[in-house]
Amino acid sequence: MGLLQQATPEYLEQCRAAQGAEQAQSLAITNNWAHVDKAQAHADFDAFYKELAPLIDANEPASPAIQALMARHYAIASRFYAPSSAAYVGTALFYEDNADMKAFHNGYHPRMVEFLGDAVYAYAQQSLK
Protein backbone atom coordinates (compact mmCIF):
# COMPACT_ATOMS: atom_id res chain seq x y z
CA MET A 1 0.00 0.00 0.00
CA GLY A 2 1.28 3.45 -0.88
CA LEU A 3 1.86 6.23 1.60
CA LEU A 4 -1.16 8.23 0.51
CA GLN A 5 -3.47 5.23 0.82
CA GLN A 6 -2.48 4.91 4.49
CA ALA A 7 -4.02 8.29 5.30
CA THR A 8 -7.54 8.35 6.71
CA PRO A 9 -10.44 9.15 4.38
CA GLU A 10 -11.24 12.16 6.59
CA TYR A 11 -7.73 13.56 6.14
CA LEU A 12 -7.90 13.04 2.38
CA GLU A 13 -11.21 14.91 2.23
CA GLN A 14 -9.70 17.74 4.28
CA CYS A 15 -6.88 17.89 1.73
CA ARG A 16 -9.28 18.01 -1.20
CA ALA A 17 -11.23 20.81 0.51
CA ALA A 18 -8.05 22.76 1.34
CA GLN A 19 -6.83 22.52 -2.24
CA GLY A 20 -10.16 23.70 -3.63
CA ALA A 21 -10.46 26.59 -1.18
CA GLU A 22 -6.86 27.79 -1.45
CA GLN A 23 -6.86 27.55 -5.24
CA ALA A 24 -10.18 29.40 -5.53
CA GLN A 25 -8.94 32.17 -3.23
CA SER A 26 -5.70 32.48 -5.17
CA LEU A 27 -7.49 32.62 -8.51
CA ALA A 28 -9.83 35.31 -7.18
CA ILE A 29 -7.12 37.59 -5.79
CA THR A 30 -4.66 37.22 -8.69
CA ASN A 31 -6.97 37.71 -11.66
CA ASN A 32 -6.78 34.01 -12.54
CA TRP A 33 -3.05 33.81 -11.90
CA ALA A 34 -2.19 36.70 -14.20
CA HIS A 35 1.17 36.94 -12.41
CA VAL A 36 2.25 33.47 -13.60
CA ASP A 37 4.15 32.76 -16.80
CA LYS A 38 1.98 29.71 -17.46
CA ALA A 39 3.93 28.54 -20.51
CA GLN A 40 7.16 28.54 -18.49
CA ALA A 41 5.50 26.78 -15.54
CA HIS A 42 4.15 24.08 -17.85
CA ALA A 43 7.57 23.68 -19.49
CA ASP A 44 9.17 23.36 -16.06
CA PHE A 45 6.59 20.78 -14.95
CA ASP A 46 7.25 18.86 -18.19
CA ALA A 47 11.00 18.85 -17.53
CA PHE A 48 10.38 17.77 -13.93
CA TYR A 49 8.12 14.86 -14.95
CA LYS A 50 10.64 13.75 -17.60
CA GLU A 51 13.34 13.71 -14.91
CA LEU A 52 11.14 11.91 -12.37
CA ALA A 53 9.71 9.23 -14.69
CA PRO A 54 12.88 7.12 -15.10
CA LEU A 55 13.42 7.16 -11.32
CA ILE A 56 10.02 5.74 -10.37
CA ASP A 57 10.80 2.03 -10.72
CA ALA A 58 14.05 2.16 -8.74
CA ASN A 59 13.21 4.58 -5.90
CA GLU A 60 10.81 4.95 -3.02
CA PRO A 61 8.69 8.13 -3.03
CA ALA A 62 9.98 9.15 0.42
CA SER A 63 13.66 8.53 -0.43
CA PRO A 64 16.02 11.49 -0.01
CA ALA A 65 16.71 11.64 -3.76
CA ILE A 66 13.03 11.84 -4.65
CA GLN A 67 12.25 14.26 -1.85
CA ALA A 68 15.01 16.58 -3.09
CA LEU A 69 13.25 16.60 -6.47
CA MET A 70 9.90 17.23 -4.80
CA ALA A 71 11.20 20.53 -3.47
CA ARG A 72 11.40 21.58 -7.12
CA HIS A 73 7.85 20.35 -7.82
CA TYR A 74 6.55 22.34 -4.86
CA ALA A 75 8.46 25.43 -6.02
CA ILE A 76 6.90 25.22 -9.49
CA ALA A 77 3.42 24.73 -8.00
CA SER A 78 4.06 27.69 -5.69
CA ARG A 79 4.35 30.03 -8.64
CA PHE A 80 0.56 29.87 -8.75
CA TYR A 81 0.10 29.98 -4.95
CA ALA A 82 2.00 28.47 -2.04
CA PRO A 83 -0.24 25.59 -0.99
CA SER A 84 -0.46 24.53 2.62
CA SER A 85 0.56 20.99 3.46
CA ALA A 86 -3.05 19.83 3.13
CA ALA A 87 -3.65 21.71 -0.12
CA TYR A 88 -0.46 20.27 -1.64
CA VAL A 89 -1.69 16.76 -0.85
CA GLY A 90 -5.04 17.84 -2.29
CA THR A 91 -3.28 18.73 -5.53
CA ALA A 92 -1.92 15.19 -5.77
CA LEU A 93 -5.42 13.86 -5.09
CA PHE A 94 -6.74 16.10 -7.88
CA TYR A 95 -4.23 14.50 -10.26
CA GLU A 96 -5.69 11.12 -9.29
CA ASP A 97 -9.37 12.13 -9.20
CA ASN A 98 -9.47 14.04 -12.50
CA ALA A 99 -9.39 11.68 -15.47
CA ASP A 100 -7.66 14.18 -17.78
CA MET A 101 -5.01 15.03 -15.21
CA LYS A 102 -4.45 11.35 -14.46
CA ALA A 103 -4.03 10.52 -18.15
CA PHE A 104 -1.70 13.50 -18.65
CA HIS A 105 0.58 12.59 -15.75
CA ASN A 106 0.53 8.84 -16.44
CA GLY A 107 1.62 9.65 -20.00
CA TYR A 108 5.09 10.19 -18.51
CA HIS A 109 5.03 6.85 -16.66
CA PRO A 110 2.15 4.43 -16.04
CA ARG A 111 2.56 4.86 -12.25
CA MET A 112 3.30 8.60 -12.23
CA VAL A 113 0.09 9.64 -10.43
CA GLU A 114 0.43 6.95 -7.76
CA PHE A 115 4.14 7.66 -7.22
CA LEU A 116 3.71 11.42 -7.30
CA GLY A 117 0.86 11.18 -4.78
CA ASP A 118 3.08 9.31 -2.35
CA ALA A 119 6.01 11.64 -2.97
CA VAL A 120 3.81 14.72 -2.45
CA TYR A 121 2.39 13.21 0.73
CA ALA A 122 5.88 12.50 2.08
CA TYR A 123 7.08 15.99 1.15
CA ALA A 124 4.05 17.62 2.77
CA GLN A 125 4.54 15.62 5.97
CA GLN A 126 8.29 16.25 6.17
CA SER A 127 8.73 19.74 4.76
CA LEU A 128 5.46 21.67 5.00
CA LYS A 129 4.41 21.17 8.62
Side-chain angles (χ1 to χ4, degrees):
M1 180 184 331
L3 297 174
L4 196 54
Q5 287 68 41
Q6 295 175 23
T8 67
E10 295 80 15
Y11 172 75
L12 298 179
E13 283 310 308
Q14 289 171 356
C15 292
R16 286 180 177 96
Q19 188 270 339
E22 290 179 29
Q23 180 175 299
Q25 179 184 18
S26 175
L27 284 164
I29 65 174
T30 63
N31 191 25
N32 294 320
W33 295 327
H35 66 288
V36 178
D37 181 341
K38 293 175 184 76
Q40 185 62 57
H42 291 292
D44 292 343
F45 273 128
D46 179 63
F48 172 83
Y49 295 135
K50 287 177 177 171
E51 185 176 345
L52 181 62
L55 304 175
I56 289 174
D57 293 328
N59 291 275
E60 292 298 319
S63 70
I66 298 301
Q67 288 303 295
L69 284 176
M70 293 310 296
R72 208 164 87 226
H73 184 268
Y74 183 78
I76 298 167
S78 293
R79 293 179 199 170
F80 296 88
Y81 71 100
S84 66
S85 176
Y88 190 47
V89 172
T91 299
L93 294 169
F94 175 71
Y95 295 165
E96 183 178 319
D97 295 343
N98 181 285
D100 290 338
M101 291 298 281
K102 187 171 187 171
F104 169 78
H105 286 87
N106 283 348
Y108 290 94
H109 186 285
R111 290 184 34 240
M112 178 64 79
V113 169
E114 173 190 348
F115 188 88
L116 193 59
D118 288 343
V120 163
Y121 179 78
Y123 187 82
Q125 299 306 306
Q126 295 169 15
S127 301
L128 300 179
K129 288 290 176 182

